Each structure stands twice: as C-alpha cells, then as structure tokens.
Amino acid sequence: MSIKLPKIFLDSGNPEETKRAKGLLGHIDGQTTNPSLVAKHPEAQRFLSQGKKLTEEELLKFYRQIIEEIGREIAGSISVEVYADWDSTASQMLKQAEKMFTWGRNIHIKFPTTEEGLKAASEFTKNGGRVNMTLVFNQTQAAASYAATLQSKETHFVSPFIGRLDDRGVNGLDLVKNIIKLYRKFNKQDKSNILVLAASIRTLQHLYSSIFMGADVVTIPFKIAQEWVKEEKWMPDKHYRPSQSGLKYLKYEDLAFYNNFEKYKIPHIEDDLLDEGLKKFVADWKSLAKI
Ligand code: E4P
C-alpha cells in the first residue's frame, strides 16, 4: 500500500499565521476558518478586551477582510463558515453563502451538517457553489453530505472532527477511517466529488494517522505545523501503525447508498456534539457582534 500525500490546509482565522505557515512549510494548499478561529484574531481579541461589540455588518466586513488577506497569500481553497443556529433555515444560510462565495477565487462554504445545512448545501452545489460540510461526528452525516453534493462537478469537502470526538473518549480517527471506507463503497454506485478533510486535528498522531488512513486533505493548526516542521515533515509509510489511543473504538456502519440526502435522518439535538459545536460557533460570533 503506498501512502498518498494529502493536501495540507492551515486551520486558522489569522492571515499572519498563513504567512508564517507558508514560510515554515514552503507551501500550503488551502485554509479553513470558523467563527471560533476568527474570534481568536488579535484584532477581535482587542475588541473583546475593550468590551466592544460590532454590528453584524461590521463583523461580516471584518471576516471578509481576513478572507481577502488570506486569498492574497494562497491560491488554494479557503473555507468560510455561515452563521447558523438550530433555528436557521436553509434559505437564510444560502443568502449568506451567496455573498461569502464572492469573497475570493476559491471559496468553499462551510454549512453545518444539519438537515437545514444539507438542504442549503444541496441547493448551493446544484447552482455551481462549493461546500465544506462541517461539524461531522457520524457516518450518517457523511453519507448525507455525499448524496447532497452528487449533482455537482465541483470539488467539495466533508469534515469529520477528530479532536472533539477524542474529547468525549471516542476515537475520532475511527470516524475518518469509516468515512473513507463508506465513500469507497458509494463511489461504485455514483460519484460525488466530495473529499474527506480531516479536521479538529490536535496532535501529530492525528496528522500522521489521517495521512496513513488516506484522508484527501488535512487541516492543521499553526502549532501543529510548527511541531511537524520540528519533525522534518515526517510522513508515515506502510509500516506506520496508529498508536493505541485508549479511546473507545467507533464501529464501521455499513450504510446504504441513497442519491437523495433526505433519506438520511440526521440526529438533531440528541447528538450532543453537534449541538455543542453549533452552540459554540454561535457563542463565538455573538461574543464579537450583536447578532
Ligand atoms: C476546521 O474546519 C474545523 O472547524 C476545525 O478543525 C475545528 O477544530 P477544533 O475542534 O479544534 O475547534
């Protein structure tokens, strides 16, 4: 088995880190952002420390400037996330996506992998948009993302969140492995151009194991880029064995292929990681602006 080199993305809302990561790694293939990462931007931290709040319009302007600055550094994909809570409708998300898509040449819109997020993604990709389906914690969400993007020739991403599953004592890397296996099966039925993007990477072990398992893309925080460079950008080979994590094993579910994403029932609030993830992004946006 030969190991395929994945695309390397930076996971950051700070264009200064884009510049530094480029210097460190020589090249980065793309970048992912999210509300929490934008809230960590030094200027955002400054507003916060002064107890200031932006208007919604100012926040969007600030986010847009960040994306444009990143776009001057890299030619690859930049993921931009819509604002969404449990009450957000597909059409509200679509409205934001249409604007955000114009912020650069190679934008992917991050929609939460909820029922409404999937509806928005399906509509958006039918009309030429590109998506990164985020907050993915189970195979059902990944299967639905596959089906929702079938009618598009563009490249899309599905983002399983490794670290957040680990935080709950479940091996997040198993989810990456299971989605890759499921998509290989689905590929035999109908082909979606959706790539597996390993997200919520917290350690070098997460990075090496994601590469070893065959993730198409890995998105790494700046700190992991620094650690990787210290290891001379070591790459796993076929002899690599992911370390025994002591975390709960996540069993593969042999889900059936449907070309209609609505056939997959996405757990709502019962999936507390999805609930918590959505709420955290909302809270980070609200810390910055009056939304
Ligand atoms: C990237 O697209 C994700 O939003 C990010 O990797 C999430 O990472 P976290 O779980 O460390 O917040």
Side-chain angles (χ1 to χ4, degrees):
M1 186 181 85
S2 65
I3 308 283
K4 177 184 78 174
L5 182 72
K7 291 208 179 305
I8 310 289
F9 284 13
L10 180 71
D11 200 18
S12 167
N14 183 351
E16 280 310 309
E17 288 190 342
T18 316
K19 291 177 199 158
R20 290 176 66 199
K22 251 174 69 181
L24 267 179
L25 299 170
H27 171 80
I28 48 178
D29 297 300
Q31 184 153 342
T32 46
T33 69
N34 69 32
S36 311
L37 293 170
V38 171
K40 282 192 192 140
H41 187 288
E43 213 168 308
Q45 286 296 311
R46 201 165 45 82
F47 306 138
L48 285 173
S49 69
Q50 294 168 345
K52 277 193 195 154
K53 286 247 183 193
L54 301 174
T55 62
E56 196 175 334
E57 205 176 307
E58 284 167 338
L59 177 61
L60 278 178
K61 195 171 155 208
F62 176 57
Y63 197 5
R64 181 181 183 146
Q65 278 165 359
I66 290 176
I67 299 303
E68 287 177 346
E69 213 176 317
I70 297 169
R72 286 194 283 277
E73 293 301 320
I74 60 171
S77 159
I78 307 173
S79 288
V80 183
E81 186 153 341
V82 297
Y83 172 88
D85 59 24
W86 282 115
D87 297 327
S88 306
T89 61
S91 85
Q92 286 168 336
M93 291 187 219
L94 265 174
K95 235 188 219 161
Q96 299 177 59
E98 274 151 19
K99 282 196 194 134
M100 289 168 160
F101 203 55
T102 65
W103 291 359
R105 291 177 309 272
N106 202 351
I107 302 291
H108 279 82
I109 299 296
K110 288 173 95 176
F111 289 110
T113 314
T114 56
E115 277 175 30
E116 289 301 305
L118 283 156
K119 274 186 210 159
S122 163
E123 210 42 48
F124 192 56
T125 56
K126 259 187 234 161
N127 296 312
R130 288 180 294 271
V131 299
N132 176 350
M133 299 310 295
T134 193
L135 292 169
V136 170
F137 299 105
N138 57 59
Q139 281 181 235
T140 308
Q141 289 175 295
S145 301
Y146 191 98
T149 49
L150 272 174
Q151 299 195 43
S152 156
K153 295 215 175 346
E154 298 286 336
T155 297
H156 309 287
F157 304 120
V158 65
S159 291
F161 273 37
I162 301 169
R164 295 199 197 180
L165 278 158
D166 281 13
D167 290 345
R168 293 295 176 88
V170 175
N171 192 351
L173 285 163
D174 285 339
L175 179 62
V176 176
K177 186 169 74 193
N178 293 344
I179 295 174
I180 293 171
K181 183 169 172 184
L182 185 73
Y183 280 9
R184 285 196 183 131
K185 177 179 109 162
F186 282 7
N187 269 327
K188 292 182 193 143
Q189 316 246 2
D190 198 349
K191 182 93 179 73
S192 161
N193 292 319
I194 192 162
L195 302 177
V196 179
L197 186 158
S200 188
I201 287 185
R202 309 258 174 84
T203 64
L204 281 177
Q205 293 313 315
H206 284 159
L207 172 64
Y208 298 152
S209 300
S210 300
I211 297 175
F212 178 75
M213 289 180 312
D216 302 295
V217 187
V218 291
T219 189
I220 54 173
F222 184 68
K223 181 173 158 280
I224 299 296
Q226 285 176 310
E227 288 176 20
W228 193 32
V229 167
K230 276 200 196 126
E231 300 282 312
E232 296 173 358
K233 297 207 300 191
W234 186 81
M235 281 284 290
D237 62 15
K238 62 180 179 170
H239 303 294
Y240 177 78
R241 288 293 164 267
S243 62
Q244 293 305 314
S245 61
L247 296 166
K248 197 172 142 223
Y249 165 69
L250 199 57
K251 205 166 157 256
Y252 174 73
E253 294 169 81
D254 195 21
L255 300 180
F257 168 79
Y258 300 117
N259 56 14
N260 175 359
F261 71 92
E262 284 174 313
K263 290 230 175 165
Y264 296 101
K265 292 293 158 236
I266 306 299
H268 200 262
I269 316 270
E270 306 88 59
D271 187 330
D272 58 354
L273 269 171
L274 177 57
D275 181 42
E276 196 180 284
L278 213 50
K279 287 182 177 154
K280 168 90 173 72
F281 286 151
V282 166
D284 284 330
W285 262 165
K286 288 195 169 164
S287 72
L288 288 178
K290 299 178 217 104
I291 295 183

